[in-house]
């Protein structure tokens, strides 16, 4: 880019970047023949009952191909409110407290642009999901990192407490966690809520992976805490739970009048979530749930497979066993190495796409993030290649 153009761009765009999660597949496309442990996409097809519902709506319902109401289809908002009530004990009012968004991502952006401005600080546990940080920067706020415990990627509430200043506006929490696969302990989340209440800090609770936990453990969500509600923005997604990543649909929960303030951003950015995607979301919620339980069971098997394969690599890809989401942070050393250099080498020399851990913050350095969203054959091929590569070092 010419210096002239760069100077004419807005400061907020100059200071953000495309995340490495998207960059590595682009590099791999130039190299060719790569197998991916990169981007966080569950391999599952959209279930047939969802495809049928969308096809039928598009054939029979004149409203299905048009804008929906700006906060989303009323039936879908009711179904989302019911899900929040049933799973988190959150008595959501579908009329005033729930809005359907373009994936969890747009919900997060609505929250950030509504709450954060120049001079505001947002605490982000680190390693972090890169888009959380980019969105804080896009809102012209300052991300302040609170490192997770390096021993087990647990939430270090003391680190969060140390990060609080008079300028702190919000803290972002996401459990199960991307990129570490950690599921934060209820006791730590409760301590974090206490801090937020004491310092009057908003909590942006990104529950994108809430349904994906293993070993018969459920994730505790701060969305279930009554006393936190005035400070809470809940961000939810259909992408991972229902394997609808490409449909781009999620939802937001906040009390009035905060929700209607966020809806101003939603209107300016998207008008409404795509109506066919909302039909898919409603069919996913209303249809048989064992499809999704089976997907989760399959992901658990893949977690077991990838951990066993990595364990068999002679200490080369040491990791903390993930308990949720579908990521493993694997430490590549010894010797310690630059994670971007390593990920590029793995693409060029092993033909395996991984995401450099440094893209998730300083605590991710020396690691690569491996996704086990792909099927067993992909995981096995990738691990065969990683093992062969490691054995030549
Ligand atoms: C932690 C986290 N939040 C939000 C998102 C965005 O999800 P979506 O916009 O597909 O709902 C992702 C996607 O990977 C994520 O990992």
């Amino acid at each position: 880019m010419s210096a002239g153009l760069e100077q004419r761009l807005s400061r907020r765009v100059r200071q953000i970047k495309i995340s490495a999660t998207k960059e590595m597949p682009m590099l791999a496309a130039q190299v060719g023949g790569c197998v991916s442990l990169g981007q966080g996409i569950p391999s599952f097809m959209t279930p047939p009952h969802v495809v049928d519902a969308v096809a039928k709506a598009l054939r029979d319902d004149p409203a299905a191909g048009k804008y929906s109401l700006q906060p989303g289809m009323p039936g879908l908002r009711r179904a989302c409110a019911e899900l929040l009530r049933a799973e988190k004990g959150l008595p959501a009012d579908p009329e005033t407290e729930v809005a359907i968004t373009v994936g969890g991502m747009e919900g997060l952006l609505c929250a950030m642009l509504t709450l954060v401005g120049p001079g505001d600080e947002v605490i982000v546990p680190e390693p972090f999901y890169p888009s959380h940080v980019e969105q804080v920067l896009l809102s012209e706020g300052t991300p302040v990192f609170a490192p997770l415990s390096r021993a087990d990627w647990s939430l270090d509430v003391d680190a969060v407490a140390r990060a609080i200043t008079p300028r702190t506006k919000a803290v972002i929490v996401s459990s199960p966690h991307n990129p570490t696969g950690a599921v934060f302990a209820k006791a730590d989340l409760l301590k974090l809520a206490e801090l937020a209440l004491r310092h009057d800090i908003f909590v942006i609770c990104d529950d994108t992976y809430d349904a994906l936990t293993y070993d018969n453990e459920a994730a505790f969500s701060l969305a279930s805490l009554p006393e936190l509600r005035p400070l809470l923005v809940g961000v939810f997604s259909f992408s991972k739970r229902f394997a609808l990543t490409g449909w781009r649909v999620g939802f937001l929960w906040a009390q009035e009048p905060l929700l209607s303030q966020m809806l101003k951003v939603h209107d300016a950015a998207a008008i409404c979530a795509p109506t066919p995607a909302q039909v898919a979301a409603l069919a996913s919620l209303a249809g048989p749930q064992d499809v999704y339980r089976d997907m989760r069971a399959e992901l658990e098997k893949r977690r077991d497979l990838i951990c066993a394969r990595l364990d068999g690599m002679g200490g080369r890809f040491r990791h903390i066993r993930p308990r949720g989401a579908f990521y493993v942070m694997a430490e590549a050393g010894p010797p310690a190495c630059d994670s971007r250099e390593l990920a590029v080498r793995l693409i060029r020399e092993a033909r395996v796409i991984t995401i450099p851990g440094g893209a998730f913050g300083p605590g991710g350095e020396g690691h690569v993030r491996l996704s086990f969203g792909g099927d067993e054959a992909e995981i096995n091929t990738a691990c065969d290649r990683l093992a062969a590569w490691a054995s030549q070092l």
Side-chain angles (χ1 to χ4, degrees), residues 5 27 33 153 176 202 274 308 344 390 392:
L5 175 60
L27 175 64
W153 300 128
F202 286 101
V344 170
Q392 285 167 10

Side-chain angles (χ1 to χ4, degrees), residues 21-22 39-41 101-108 128-132 135 172-179 206-209 235-240 244-251 325-327 369:
T21 326
K22 324 288 179 331
Q39 209 174 343
I41 308 176
T101 53
V102 184
M105 191 68 97
E106 195 234 348
L108 283 166
F128 48 72
Y129 173 53
S131 299
H132 287 157
Q135 290 193 350
I172 301 177
V173 198
S174 190
S175 170
H177 184 246
N178 176 9
D206 176 354
D207 273 3
T208 291
Y209 295 93
V235 178
F236 309 95
S237 173
F238 287 87
S239 290
K240 320 284 176 167
L244 292 179
T245 51
W247 292 81
R248 311 307 304 125
V249 59
F251 61 105
F326 39 82
Y327 308 106
R369 190 197 72 176

Side-chain angles (χ1 to χ4, degrees), residues 301-339:
K301 274 201 254 162
R302 294 177 189 177
R303 188 272 314 254
D304 294 345
L305 172 66
I306 198 165
C307 288
R309 293 291 317 257
L310 295 174
D311 285 343
M313 292 186 202
R316 171 60 58 183
F317 289 103
R318 278 175 296 131
H319 58 278
I320 295 159
R321 189 177 175 80
R323 290 157 57 226
F326 39 82
Y327 308 106
V328 193
M329 282 291 260
E331 201 172 352
C337 56
D338 175 76
S339 62

Side-chain angles (χ1 to χ4, degrees), residues 10-81:
S10 70
R11 192 165 66 98
R12 75 179 78 80
V13 163
R14 265 185 282 140
Q15 62 178 4
I16 66 168
K17 54 182 184 301
I18 298 219
S19 68
T21 326
K22 324 288 179 331
E23 187 196 343
M24 289 297 135
M26 290 195 265
L27 175 64
Q30 289 163 14
V31 172
C34 292
V35 60
S36 182
L37 297 176
Q39 209 174 343
I41 308 176
S43 64
F44 312 109
M45 302 272 288
T46 301
H49 71 277
V50 177
V51 176
D52 290 346
V54 176
K56 184 171 178 341
L58 287 172
R59 257 195 317 268
D60 300 346
D61 179 357
K66 306 195 172 75
Y67 297 129
S68 74
L69 289 179
Q70 194 247 355
M73 285 167 32
L76 178 57
R77 277 185 281 150
R78 281 196 296 277
C80 292

Side-chain angles (χ1 to χ4, degrees), residues 1-10 14:
M1 183 173 38
S2 72
L5 175 60
E6 188 168 0
Q7 274 166 14
R8 294 167 72 188
L9 298 177
S10 70
R14 265 185 282 140

Side-chain angles (χ1 to χ4, degrees), residues 75-341:
L76 178 57
R77 277 185 281 150
R78 281 196 296 277
C80 292
E82 175 49 29
L83 182 75
L84 293 177
R85 194 201 54 72
E87 285 197 353
K88 302 179 204 279
L90 178 63
D93 179 344
E95 292 296 319
T96 59
E97 294 180 333
V98 176
I100 311 302
T101 53
V102 184
M105 191 68 97
E106 195 234 348
L108 283 166
L109 190 61
C110 288
M112 221 72 82
L113 287 173
T114 302
L115 296 176
V116 179
D120 291 334
E121 293 177 353
V122 179
I123 299 175
V124 190
E126 177 277 327
F128 48 72
Y129 173 53
S131 299
H132 287 157
V133 171
E134 302 302 340
Q135 290 193 350
V136 174
L137 294 172
L138 199 54
S139 310
E140 303 199 63
T142 306
V144 177
F145 303 142
L148 297 178
S149 153
R150 296 292 179 257
D152 56 1
W153 300 128
S154 58
L155 193 61
D156 182 345
V157 188
D158 292 335
V160 175
R162 282 194 298 274
I164 294 175
T165 75
R167 290 180 300 282
T168 306
K169 191 49 121 28
V171 55
I172 301 177
V173 198
S174 190
S175 170
H177 184 246
N178 176 9
T180 63
V183 176
F184 298 146
K186 180 175 175 180
D188 291 337
L189 288 166
L190 291 177
K191 280 191 222 150
L192 184 112
E194 249 173 56
L195 276 180
L197 285 162
R198 190 166 349 123
H199 295 272
D200 201 22
I201 297 167
F202 286 101
V203 175
I204 301 172
C205 176
D206 176 354
D207 273 3
T208 291
Y209 295 93
D210 56 0
L212 298 183
T213 56
Y214 311 122
D215 310 316
N216 293 319
E217 263 187 275
F220 176 75
S221 169
L222 286 178
S224 60
L225 219 59
E227 57 273 33
L228 196 61
R229 284 178 199 150
L231 292 172
L232 185 90
V233 177
V235 178
F236 309 95
S237 173
F238 287 87
S239 290
K240 320 284 176 167
R241 168 192 282 260
F242 294 112
L244 292 179
T245 51
W247 292 81
R248 311 307 304 125
V249 59
F251 61 105
L252 270 175
W253 179 91
Q255 282 182 337
E256 262 303 271
L258 180 54
L259 189 82
S260 49
Q261 295 303 307
M262 292 195 287
L263 278 171
K264 296 198 285 194
V265 181
H266 176 60
D267 191 29
I271 303 177
C272 64
T275 308
Q278 296 191 56
V279 173
L282 183 54
S284 304
L285 277 172
Q289 295 302 296
D290 46 348
V291 185
Y292 306 108
R293 283 192 278 274
D294 291 351
M295 286 181 187
R296 180 174 60 177
E298 179 58 32
L299 284 171
E300 183 160 354
K301 274 201 254 162
R302 294 177 189 177
R303 188 272 314 254
D304 294 345
L305 172 66
I306 198 165
C307 288
R309 293 291 317 257
L310 295 174
D311 285 343
M313 292 186 202
R316 171 60 58 183
F317 289 103
R318 278 175 296 131
H319 58 278
I320 295 159
R321 189 177 175 80
R323 290 157 57 226
F326 39 82
Y327 308 106
V328 193
M329 282 291 260
E331 201 172 352
C337 56
D338 175 76
S339 62
R340 192 171 189 285
E341 228 168 82

